[in-house]
Amino acid sequence: MDFKKILATFLAVFVVIDIFLAVQWFQLHQPASNPTSSESILTEMRNDGIKVGKLGQTEKTGVYLAGKSGETFLRDRLSTLSKTWDAKLTNDQLTVTPSRTIDLGKSRADVREAIDKIVNDPRKVIAGSQYRYDAKLTEYANKTSTESDVVVYAQKISDSRSFMSQRAQIRFVLTANHELKSYTQSYVENPQVLRDSTSLISEEKALIGAYQYNDIPNNGTVNWSELGYSPLTTVHGDIIFVPAWIFSVTDPSDETTILRVNALNGSLMK
């Protein structure tokens, strides 16, 4: 490989990260322009009819990550899948369809158990052990999908955190009778830590920030939140991920959306 090209890529990544860190440090260390307490803002939210449960105030830690699109990783392993499963790779998304629908059982518990076995079978799913079931993303998928039923597995980063992005998911599509029709898979290859661990804003501060950006509708409901990793930018083919608070919000017309708040500086991620 071209050593100078590799060195230039790493230098570019670190320059971008340094710029982000400098901007975030400046934002976090400015005097508060609005001295209103968190509690009064939460009261204001509830007065606006926004339903929200108890919010965590703990400031956890997180890191910057960089990873590659999993297109090459998945393509190189297509031959490991069973020949009875039709597999097609389009860009960085793999679509796998069994030769016939597969009965997964009669109940949700049966379905979970059956899909867990499929995920951990290397003849049916590539690198399945690197994913885990995500109940919250599954709930969101079923509120927004036109399919009968969707079950979502997210690619793991650690024991407690996952990628919260369709760049790193397996989405199983089921019939109304609990039969597996197909699944799609995306993957982040070789995620690497770019910076030492740093403090993150709390769940409460993240939601207050989203409210102050006017991204939470009056009379809406905050269904759930989760701290994971979302893509921020791409530098020379490396996808940069940052820790983010993910909120599921339902508006008065019953439309559900996902809000992503950068857990490093509180900015909204589009």
Side-chain angles (χ1 to χ4, degrees):
M1 297 181 67
D2 188 335
F3 177 75
K4 290 184 178 179
K5 185 176 180 180
I6 295 172
L7 182 59
T9 297
F10 273 99
L11 286 173
V13 170
F14 280 108
V15 167
V16 170
I17 295 303
D18 283 336
I19 293 171
F20 280 128
L21 284 174
V23 171
Q24 288 158 4
W25 185 94
F26 180 79
Q27 290 174 335
L28 289 171
H29 290 80
Q30 290 302 298
S33 58
N34 183 355
T36 308
S37 71
S38 296
E39 189 55 44
S40 64
I41 297 175
L42 292 173
T43 298
E44 182 182 335
M45 289 173 60
R46 295 185 176 99
N47 289 339
D48 285 338
I50 297 170
K51 299 180 180 66
V52 57
K54 185 174 176 58
L55 299 169
Q57 297 179 335
T58 303
E59 296 185 354
K60 302 179 181 180
T61 59
V63 297
Y64 280 94
L65 294 174
K68 297 285 189 183
S69 159
E71 180 177 1
T72 301
F73 179 90
L74 294 171
R75 179 182 293 110
D76 290 346
R77 290 159 179 79
L78 284 176
S79 61
T80 64
L81 295 175
S82 170
K83 302 304 180 185
T84 62
W85 293 53
D86 179 52
K88 294 180 180 178
L89 185 63
T90 304
N91 297 324
D92 58 357
Q93 179 171 280
L94 177 65
T95 301
V96 179
T97 307
S99 56
R100 57 180 178 79
T101 56
I102 298 174
D103 185 5
L104 299 176
K106 302 300 182 184
S107 67
R108 294 297 298 180
D110 291 340
V111 169
R112 276 290 318 282
E113 183 177 353
I115 293 182
D116 275 343
K117 289 180 180 178
I118 290 171
V119 168
N120 288 296
D121 185 341
R123 298 167 300 171
K124 296 176 180 176
V125 174
I126 296 170
S129 63
Q130 296 182 41
Y131 296 78
R132 63 164 153 247
Y133 172 69
D134 193 301
K136 293 175 179 178
L137 291 179
T138 295
E139 176 192 308
Y140 174 69
N142 283 289
K143 284 186 176 181
T144 57
S145 174
T146 58
E147 299 290 349
S148 296
D149 197 2
V150 180
V151 178
V152 178
Y153 280 65
Q155 186 179 340
K156 297 180 288 188
I157 297 171
S158 65
D159 290 341
S160 60
R161 293 183 193 169
S162 305
F163 288 106
M164 300 291 286
S165 165
Q166 291 196 28
R167 289 178 178 269
Q169 287 181 5
I170 306 175
R171 297 167 70 90
F172 293 92
V173 178
L174 316 181
T175 69
N177 296 320
H178 303 317
E179 297 171 318
L180 175 62
K181 291 198 299 186
S182 64
Y183 72 80
T184 57
Q185 180 180 10
S186 54
Y187 182 81
V188 174
E189 183 177 2
N190 195 30
Q192 298 288 319
V193 174
L194 294 179
R195 283 279 181 176
D196 292 338
S197 184
T198 188
S199 295
L200 307 177
I201 64 173
S202 68
E203 177 188 26
E204 181 180 88
K205 287 183 179 178
L207 187 66
I208 286 173
Y211 171 71
Q212 292 179 319
Y213 278 115
N214 296 316
D215 263 38
I216 303 177
N218 289 352
N219 302 308
T221 301
V222 179
N223 304 307
W224 52 259
S225 69
E226 188 164 347
L227 181 61
Y229 279 77
S230 285
L232 179 67
T233 188
T234 301
V235 180
H236 293 295
D238 286 302
I239 309 165
I240 310 302
F241 292 87
V242 294
W245 283 104
I246 316 298
F247 296 95
S248 167
V249 179
T250 300
D251 67 18
S253 64
D254 206 33
E255 180 178 349
T256 300
T257 57
I258 287 288
L259 296 180
R260 300 174 186 271
V261 180
N262 187 322
L264 291 162
N265 66 0
S267 63
L268 286 177
M269 301 175 68
K270 300 297 186 180

